[in-house]
Amino acid sequence: MTALASPCSTGHGEVHPSLSLPVASLAASIAAGALAAFIWAIYFVFAKTGTAAGLLPQDFALLRFGPAALVLLPWLIRHDLPRLAGIGWPRAFTLTLLAGPPFILLSSAGYLYAPLSNGAVIQPSTVTLASMAAAAVLLRERITPAKVIGIALILAGLAVIASHKSHAGGSMVWLGNLLFLGAGLSWSAYTILFKRWNLDAVAATAVVALLSTLLALPMLLLSGGFTRLAALPLQTLMAQIMVQGVLSGVVALIAFGMAVRQLGAARASLFPAVVPVAAMIISVPLTGTVPAAMEIAGALLATVGLLAAMGLLRLPTVVTRPQPSSKGLRS
């Protein structure tokens, strides 16, 4: 027979049955992950406008990490700067390679060779699938049937959205796809290590921002310096600094780190997968672009998949009744 599970209680001190978290903590963790996805979606829209204005990946790297380093440096000075807030130089350098300028360069350079639709599917899908697999093997996080169904719905939704977009591209599309794959694997590794090392979200964000800025500055100077940034209108430049540096470089990373610590790497990796959906919704008021019917259908699929994978939506399941034992039955 087919049965629907009853909704979970929402009392403040009660524990959600499928996530083993107090409902209040669960709500805060999901809100943090959703906030990160929302900010990254805004970043995605502003990155497109910055590219149209002539900015290069090196410019985006400095915009992303420079303001974040300035904001968080006072905190880092007060929390053991020589030892990088207790994270240590080897781990800090590893995190910077995975979530710092190399990640930005991989993600941005992919669009030089492959269309937007490819990046919108390959990179978030790689993050979700790789993080889920690594979390199961390395962190012993349980992969439930609900998670599998939810991930399948998310990926189906992304595929539907991407199928509406243009698939035009040159002979180097394969290279762009590889760059997107590399960016997804890089962020997945950052997510897994963040959880495995049990890092503090603010400390990791501050350390990555500082070391990334030290890497981004020489990269920018070798590619023309600040001329492209200086050529932007002041209002546009300030908007890019706020969205990419403060919101994406500080608030989103801290919020995502909080989600990873509470929900685990596997569930937290679902939030990057819905960034294309959020970007599509945000682009309506920002650019006036109205989504097509297929895009709306894909967004709904991905949303249902996210809720199912998080354990917040119980999809119909087939319940098999146990067969009575033959023992004790009279002939």
Side-chain angles (χ1 to χ4, degrees):
M1 64 180 284
T2 301
L4 283 171
S6 59
C8 63
S9 172
T10 57
H12 178 78
E14 298 185 25
V15 174
H16 189 283
S18 64
L19 283 89
S20 301
L21 278 177
V23 173
S25 298
L26 172 63
S29 302
I30 291 176
L35 175 62
F38 179 78
I39 292 174
W40 284 328
I42 298 176
Y43 162 82
F44 182 76
V45 175
F46 272 74
K48 287 173 62 180
T49 61
T51 301
L55 297 183
L56 297 178
Q58 297 91 322
D59 302 311
F60 289 122
L62 186 64
L63 284 171
R64 172 75 171 263
F65 300 109
L70 291 175
V71 170
L72 293 173
L73 184 58
W75 182 93
L76 192 55
I77 290 174
R78 295 195 303 269
H79 291 81
D80 195 0
L81 176 60
R83 294 181 60 249
L84 298 177
I87 293 178
W89 286 91
R91 288 185 174 184
F93 187 69
T94 300
L95 295 174
T96 301
L97 289 179
L98 295 173
F103 167 75
I104 298 297
L105 292 178
L106 284 171
S107 181
S108 302
Y111 293 109
L112 298 176
Y113 305 100
L116 178 63
S117 57
N118 291 37
V121 172
I122 295 173
Q123 186 171 320
S125 300
T126 301
V127 171
T128 300
L129 295 176
S131 297
M132 191 75 68
V137 175
L138 300 177
L139 305 179
R140 306 299 182 189
E141 293 186 12
R142 183 167 169 256
I143 306 299
T144 63
K147 273 187 192 177
V148 175
I149 294 173
I151 292 170
L153 290 175
I154 291 173
L155 299 183
L158 294 179
V160 170
I161 293 172
S163 67
H164 176 74
K165 302 295 184 182
S166 171
H167 291 270
S171 59
M172 300 294 286
V173 169
W174 63 270
L175 178 56
N177 292 341
L178 282 180
L179 292 171
F180 293 139
L181 178 65
L185 291 174
S186 180
W187 188 262
S188 174
Y190 171 82
T191 302
I192 295 297
L193 291 178
F194 185 99
K195 178 64 177 177
R196 186 163 192 173
W197 292 340
N198 194 29
L199 299 177
D200 177 76
V202 178
T205 303
V207 166
V208 169
L210 177 61
L211 296 187
S212 295
T213 301
L214 296 179
L215 287 178
L217 274 173
M219 289 166 47
L220 184 68
L221 294 176
L222 291 173
S223 62
F226 296 90
T227 54
R228 293 175 299 275
L229 294 174
L232 293 177
L234 180 59
Q235 184 176 0
T236 302
L237 178 61
M238 295 306 296
Q240 292 283 354
I241 290 174
M242 177 58 65
V243 170
Q244 299 199 41
V246 178
L247 292 180
S248 185
V250 179
V251 180
L253 273 179
I254 293 176
F256 183 71
M258 293 172 59
V260 172
R261 290 196 67 172
Q262 291 293 323
L263 299 174
R267 282 193 174 93
S269 68
L270 298 170
F271 289 107
V274 297
V275 169
V277 176
M280 183 188 71
I281 297 172
I282 291 170
S283 66
V284 175
L286 291 182
T287 66
T289 304
V290 179
M294 287 185 65
E295 293 177 296
I296 295 174
L300 291 175
L301 266 178
T303 302
V304 171
L306 177 64
L307 295 175
M310 286 288 176
L312 302 178
L313 177 65
R314 304 295 294 274
L315 298 176
T317 57
V318 177
V319 180
T320 304
R321 293 180 180 273
Q323 297 297 324
S325 173
S326 59
K327 295 182 179 180
L329 293 179
R330 295 181 180 178
S331 57

